[in-house]
Amino acid sequence: MRSNPFGKQFTASALALAVSLGAHAVTDEDILNDQDTVDDIVSYGMGVQGQRFSPMDALNTGNVQYLQPAWAFSFGGEKQRGQESQPLVKDGVMYVTASYSRIYAIDARTGEEIWQYDARLPDGIMPCCDVVNRGAALYDDKVIFGTLDAKLVALNKDTGKPVWIKKVADYQAGYSMTAAPLIVKGKLITGVSGGEFGIVGKVEARDPNTGDLLWMRPTVEGHMGYVYKDGKEIENGISGGEAGKTWPGDMWKTGGAATWLGGTYDPDTDTIFFGTGNPAPWNSHLRPGDNLFSSSRVAIDPDDGSIKWHFQTTPNDGWDYDGVNEVISFDYEENGKTVKAAATADRNGFFYVLNRENGDFIRGFPFVDKITWATGLNEDGSPIYNTENGRPGNPADADGEKGETVVAFPAFLGGKNWMPMAYSQDTGLFYVPSNEWSMDIWNEPVSYKKGAAYLGAGFTIKPANDEFIGVLRAVDPKTGEEVWRYNNPAPLWGGVLATAGNLVFTGTPEGYLKAFDAKTGEELYKFNTGTGVVGTPVTWEMDGEQYVSISTGWGGAVPLWGGEVAKVVRDFNQGGTVWTFKLPKDRVASN
């Protein structure tokens, strides 16, 4: 661990700034109101529901061409790789995580470093999909983030000094942490990564002031949940009621279902939503059954971790489609009534709209151009499997050798992967960063060994088209209509922001920050940051001006796992910079 609480060039003005900010604690009310306030960003998702919609309209379709760089801050050193973080902003200070479990506090007006903290990582970390970190949480006087060796670190937000450090799981068994924590009702809510290593997924709640456990809920059927009171561990029911209902033998003991993307929260129903990852191993013939609660969305009671309901998108997942993608709460009117809905765009290529009160399926539809593993959805939202050649073959049918190879659309990296979509309260549309690719996939024999990859499958990913892979889509959740699309040559791997200025922002691996007309998809702005963008943009107001920030630095899963797709991006430059832009005051005008 290296903590440099005053940064490399700590100045008297920075010290005065840090001291003056000490009294401005981040409260539960601040977090619940985050989507409505414009002068700060205190939650991942720009609001606990994860809509990533800003009510600001000073920056709009009529003046976005005047958006200009204000400052750029380099993460420095030789540690580059994928920069997937979403910045937070409070009282003129930006808090942003970086690859290799680093975090920075930056003067949001000048781009000067206030402090930097580097986690001391052991040599044996085993992140599946690059050394990324997606963000932090702010609460009271602390900033809290997870590390690649499966720890949580709480720092004083004004000095960068550690307040507490807690081990969440055993990194030597394959556990890690890459997601931004979530604060709900004074609780710190986190998940875990590691599904490729046969770990057991879980969601935990901790006291953000001490790091002490409050409850723990496993996301694999058959494992016991707990609540913690006065230092005592109290049983709180087995996930799913009992072991082995949808798993054969003892395979539930290493079942995967990692909660690696973190969660969202809906105050209306007082519910936490988490997605769960692939079942382990990938070879689905070894684990006949639905394999709950893998590849699912799980609704959790924030008070004790009980599961309220679940919705499984890919039962008996044999393609590594996961189910971790974010669940975004939204309301819409239908037949004179307000529908309390939630939307999620799955890696399997289907977009789902659910009743967030009870998990009932409302509608689902493909949001990618081609799906081969299933031919559609049943009335309850379950998949209609392609039984001809949709699932990779059983190695047992080939005398224990490689099973029959199939070509599957989409590839396991998904119609949409981790990169968060946005919902505009003005247009009623979701803006979905997606990709068009296929894979050759086959199964192989495999057995579990602690800390070793637990796949039992091989694959090669290929582009589905010659001209483009990435597609930014505007999707109507009420009809399934694709209202507009933007095709990008390289895969899209960064998040999306929508604003009341009728703008949609995202970044591209080619290095551009781009802005589009939210209604038509017309490209209105682009700026070359010099390195691929896989971060998520945010916007806020400071000193009467609207700012936009994004972390840049190429990396993530695509260059590691992308097969033939990786050839498309092999010449893209790595990097590590936070770019911050602003609209000058003299350019503010309504559309």
Side-chain angles (χ1 to χ4, degrees), residues 6-137:
F6 303 124
K8 299 172 183 176
Q9 297 179 342
F10 192 80
T11 64
S13 62
L15 176 60
L17 174 66
V19 172
S20 69
L21 296 182
H24 295 81
V26 178
T27 67
D28 291 286
E29 184 178 6
D30 292 335
I31 294 168
L32 285 178
N33 293 332
D34 197 24
Q35 70 278 359
D36 298 319
T37 57
V38 298
D39 58 351
D40 59 23
I41 305 165
V42 295
S43 64
Y44 186 79
M46 296 180 60
V48 291
Q49 291 182 317
Q51 292 185 353
R52 299 186 178 275
F53 176 77
S54 170
M56 285 185 287
D57 61 3
L59 179 64
N60 52 59
T61 54
N63 59 23
V64 68
Q65 69 267 29
Y66 301 115
L67 189 67
Q68 62 187 37
W71 52 262
F73 174 86
S74 173
F75 296 137
E78 298 178 357
K79 294 180 177 180
Q80 302 294 341
R81 306 277 288 271
Q83 310 295 349
E84 295 184 354
S85 180
Q86 178 219 288
L88 302 172
V89 179
K90 176 65 175 173
D91 295 324
V93 177
M94 177 180 291
Y95 303 89
V96 60
T97 61
S99 57
Y100 293 97
S101 305
R102 295 172 291 165
I103 186 168
Y104 300 80
I106 306 166
D107 186 325
R109 290 179 173 84
T110 66
E112 294 182 39
E113 180 180 294
I114 299 172
W115 56 256
Q116 173 183 344
Y117 176 90
D118 293 9
R120 180 185 294 167
L121 297 174
D123 293 335
I125 57 171
M126 293 179 286
C128 127
C129 308
D130 210 0
V131 289
V132 303
N133 188 286
R134 298 186 178 92

